[in-house]
Amino acid sequence: MRFYGFAVAVGVFTLGACAGGEKNTADTTHVAVDTSSATTTTTGASSTTTGTATGGAATAAPVTGTTHTVNMVGDAKGYRFEPANVTVKQGDAIKFVVVSGGPHNVAFDPATIPPDVKPQLDANMGTDKMGELSSNMKMNPGDAVTVSFGKIKPGQYPFHCVPHLALNMKGVITVQ
C-alpha cells in the first residue's frame, strides 16, 4: 500500500510540475557554499566548494577530470539513459541532459549506496534536489544536472529516473 501512495504522490508532483506553463531552457548548475570558510570556487559554468562544513557534513567535491554526457530520452522506443552504463574515474563528472520525454531526474537508491559514500555523493549532487540522492525534475530539452564523482571511492553505483523507474529507465555508473 505504501508503494501506491508513493506512486500517486510522484504522479501528482509530476503533473503539477508539467502544468506550470513556464519554460526554462537554462542549463542548471549547482553552487554549494562552505559554511566554515565561505569559499566558493567557480570554473566555467560549474561551481564547486572545497573545505568541510560545520557539523562534519560533506561538501561538494570539485570536478578534477572529464565531464561525461548522458542523455535522458523518452520517445517511441521507450524511456532510457543514453548510455545507460558509464565508466568514470574518481574526480570525473556526469552531465545528465534532457533530450525528450521529460520530466526526468537522476536518483540513487540510498539502499544501494555504501554508507561511507552516501554523504559525499549526496553533497556532489549539489543543492538543486528533491531529496537525499535525488535531483530535482528537469522538464525541458537542454535542462541538465551535473553530478561530480570527486572523492567517490571505486565501485558500481546504480541510478534511475524516479518518474520512469517503472519503465526501466535506469543505469549503472562504475567509478574506477
Side-chain angles (χ1 to χ4, degrees), residues 30-54:
H30 304 292
V31 178
V33 177
D34 180 351
T35 58
S36 66
S37 65
T39 303
T40 301
T41 306
T42 303
T43 307
S46 61
S47 300
T48 55
T49 302
T50 57
T52 305
T54 50

Side-chain angles (χ1 to χ4, degrees), residues 113-136:
I113 305 301
D116 60 329
V117 174
K118 197 180 301 183
Q120 187 64 59
L121 183 57
D122 190 54
N124 287 359
M125 293 185 74
T127 58
D128 184 27
K129 299 187 309 186
M130 67 178 194
E132 180 185 42
L133 297 171
S134 183
S135 75
N136 269 336

Side-chain angles (χ1 to χ4, degrees), residues 15-172:
L15 289 175
C18 289
E22 188 174 315
K23 187 171 183 175
N24 177 6
T25 58
D27 180 14
T28 303
T29 56
H30 304 292
V31 178
V33 177
D34 180 351
T35 58
S36 66
S37 65
T39 303
T40 301
T41 306
T42 303
T43 307
S46 61
S47 300
T48 55
T49 302
T50 57
T52 305
T54 50
T59 58
V63 176
T64 57
T66 304
T67 297
H68 307 266
T69 299
V70 172
N71 292 321
M72 297 184 282
V73 180
D75 59 19
K77 294 179 185 177
Y79 290 87
R80 63 198 176 279
F81 291 99
E82 290 182 342
N85 299 313
V86 184
T87 299
V88 299
K89 294 180 180 170
Q90 190 176 48
D92 286 357
I94 298 177
K95 182 177 181 180
F96 295 89
V97 181
V98 174
V99 172
S100 59
H104 297 297
N105 81 329
V106 178
F108 298 88
D109 179 353
T112 66
I113 305 301
D116 60 329
V117 174
K118 197 180 301 183
Q120 187 64 59
L121 183 57
D122 190 54
N124 287 359
M125 293 185 74
T127 58
D128 184 27
K129 299 187 309 186
M130 67 178 194
E132 180 185 42
L133 297 171
S134 183
S135 75
N136 269 336
M137 296 294 167
K138 302 302 171 192
M139 307 304 238
N140 303 302
D143 287 353
V145 60
T146 301
V147 179
S148 167
F149 287 87
K151 297 185 181 179
I152 301 298
K153 72 180 184 180
Q156 291 193 325
Y157 302 94
F159 65 97
H160 60 274
C161 172
V162 171
H164 301 119
L165 179 58
L167 299 172
N168 208 31
M169 188 170 176
K170 56 187 176 179
V172 176

